Amino acid sequence: MLLLVLLLALAVRLLYLFYVVHLNSLPLNIDSLEHDRIARNLIAGKGYTLYGHPTAYRAPFLTYLVALTYWLFGPHYGLIRLELIAFSLLLIAAIYRLGEELFSPKVGLFAAFLAALWPHFLFYGVRIYTEIPFTLFSLGTILYLHRYQREERVRWLLLSGLAGGLAVLTRPAGAFLLLFLWLYLLNRNKNASKWRDLVIYPAIVLLLLLPWVGRNYLVFHRLVPVTSQGGLVLWISNNHYVAHHPSYRGHYVVYQHLPGAALLIGPDEIERSRRALRYVRNFLQAYPQDVPLLLQNKFLRFWQPPRLSQSGRAWVYRFAHWGILWAALGGLLLAVRRSTNRWLEIWLLATLFPALLFWAGARVRLPAEPVLLLWGAVFLTTMPEWVHRRKRTFLALGAGLTLLAATGMWLLQTEKRSHLAPRW
């Protein structure tokens, strides 16, 4: 059954790629174009550079994947898109495995089926973005850590740390997930013998990050853990416009449109990020009353449906979004009673926290959407069984409502006939 689901997912993605996106079409998003440009510079022997200068503006995983593909097969966008479809299929299989281990094979299979047809995954699964690989690595971190807690085998801890390190190298927001998971382990593991595990887990991640951090220090002579855009992203998502302007609430403003942007032109990207961070501090000191409004706007925007299409397909995204959101809410209430592990809740909180800190939106929420799909699958697989167990109650309720409606219609018709009768 899982193989059939994966074949369905592959067929849908290939159809969408060839007939909507087109195999070798030029990427139109600035993220995709910059990953492409850095990869071409790597192949040309210019190093990890962008616009003629060494850079750490983009996280390295997707860039090096693109560069390796270009080096082996030539610069073809279609090959990158096919690789990301492969990542998407791995993600669906991982969703099945996590649902099977946390709940049941039935829940896992239904969640995988939802993921195969999920419009948000379909959109990003055939485009050159970091979302699908990052979601896969985040899920792998959760899955292997759950297995480690269940079986106490160190290999699962090693694999969880490896997946977590790759998640951070794909998108720096993965560090929040690792922090939340480590705190959860710290709270659960009270025995003194468990301290070695709490040390091993972050050590694996740091060991994986070490080559990239060392490269950044050699190039910039400063500590840059993953990327150099932290201060800039904080500034474009924490300002007066994001707090009050209806077009930007909870989102971000392109920094060139913000007052003071002219002072960021010229310095290197590390200094630009530091100056932007000073702007954020000045804003928070001058307008502390805007902080609750920023958090409120970001929280609400986090749950809004994606705006991926201006065509007639837009209703598909909205319908799927609100449907799974309500199903996930019901599934959450059921899952809290069933499961003693809080992995999915931690994953959702670890995705929401950076959205409140930086900027929110459907793209930021996408890495946690397997959580919604799993909870939705719990609800949709449980409700038929619950209704079947109470079918006599529902039949009696349906009969009563039918009798009540028939009586009401009879009284209404009697009242109409009485008005038409001759008056004496």
Side-chain angles (χ1 to χ4, degrees), residues 90-378:
L90 290 174
L91 174 61
I92 294 169
I95 289 173
Y96 165 78
R97 190 62 65 191
L98 185 61
E100 178 190 41
E101 296 188 8
L102 291 182
F103 303 107
S104 69
K106 187 176 181 180
V107 170
L109 188 63
F110 200 84
F113 175 75
L114 293 174
L117 301 177
W118 187 239
H120 214 188
F121 286 169
L122 180 63
F123 180 89
Y124 284 104
V126 299
R127 288 173 169 85
I128 305 174
Y129 286 91
T130 59
E131 270 67 22
I132 294 298
F134 176 72
T135 305
L136 173 63
F137 295 141
S138 300
L139 197 155
T141 305
I142 298 283
L143 176 61
Y144 292 132
L145 204 55
H146 169 68
R147 289 182 178 178
Y148 172 71
Q149 284 285 10
R150 187 182 60 188
E151 301 178 13
E152 295 293 335
R153 294 185 179 179
V154 178
R155 65 173 181 176
W156 299 127
L157 186 67
L158 296 174
L159 288 173
S160 179
L162 177 63
L166 290 174
V168 175
L169 289 174
T170 306
R171 285 178 64 177
F176 292 99
L177 176 62
L178 297 181
L179 176 62
F180 276 61
L181 290 174
W182 188 82
L183 292 175
Y184 180 64
L185 285 176
L186 182 64
N187 183 60
R188 283 176 60 92
N189 296 331
K190 301 296 184 180
N191 299 331
S193 61
K194 299 294 183 181
W195 281 100
R196 62 180 179 84
D197 302 333
L198 297 174
V199 173
I200 288 175
Y201 186 63
I204 299 166
V205 177
L206 293 175
L207 189 63
L208 193 62
L209 295 177
L210 189 60
W212 178 249
V213 176
R215 174 263 174 193
N216 290 340
Y217 188 81
L218 291 175
V219 170
F220 300 107
H221 307 292
R222 285 170 254 186
L223 182 64
V224 182
V226 184
T227 69
S228 59
Q229 54 176 303
L232 197 62
V233 176
L234 268 175
W235 183 42
I236 65 176
S237 54
N238 293 279
N239 53 69
H240 197 70
Y241 295 96
V242 175
H244 296 281
H245 198 286
S247 299
Y248 299 112
R249 284 176 184 165
H251 210 242
Y252 66 89
V253 185
V254 179
Y255 83 91
Q256 289 89 344
H257 298 167
L258 290 171
L263 297 178
L264 301 185
I265 300 175
D268 63 84
E269 58 190 47
I270 310 296
E271 184 60 30
R272 182 170 66 228
S273 183
R274 289 185 176 182
R275 292 185 184 183
L277 194 58
R278 285 198 292 269
Y279 285 160
V280 176
R281 286 199 300 265
N282 294 339
F283 166 74
L284 296 177
Q285 291 171 0
Y287 301 99
Q289 68 275 11
D290 281 353
V291 174
L293 191 58
L294 282 171
L295 294 176
Q296 172 189 314
N297 292 339
K298 292 176 182 180
F299 181 81
L300 293 176
R301 190 157 194 135
F302 183 82
W303 299 108
Q304 289 181 1
R307 301 176 181 178
L308 302 178
S309 175
Q310 301 299 325
S311 67
R313 296 187 300 272
W315 70 271
V316 177
Y317 299 102
R318 289 194 295 270
F319 177 79
H321 169 77
W322 291 116
I324 202 63
L325 204 59
W326 284 109
L329 182 59
L332 170 61
L333 298 177
L334 295 171
V336 166
R337 293 190 305 171
R338 285 186 179 185
S339 178
T340 58
N341 292 309
R342 302 273 75 92
W343 301 117
L344 298 184
E345 292 90 330
I346 292 172
W347 188 359
L348 184 60
L349 289 175
T351 308
L352 178 60
F353 183 80
L356 298 178
L357 184 62
F358 296 97
W359 60 276
R363 183 180 176 186
V364 179
R365 188 191 63 244
L366 183 139
E369 286 182 353
V371 177
L372 303 180
L373 295 176
L374 286 166
W375 281 338
V378 169

Side-chain angles (χ1 to χ4, degrees), residues 2-22:
L2 177 61
L3 179 60
L4 290 176
V5 169
L6 293 176
L7 290 175
L8 172 65
L10 177 61
V12 170
R13 279 151 180 76
L14 290 177
L15 286 172
Y16 186 67
L17 173 61
F18 282 98
Y19 290 100
V20 178
V21 178
H22 304 297

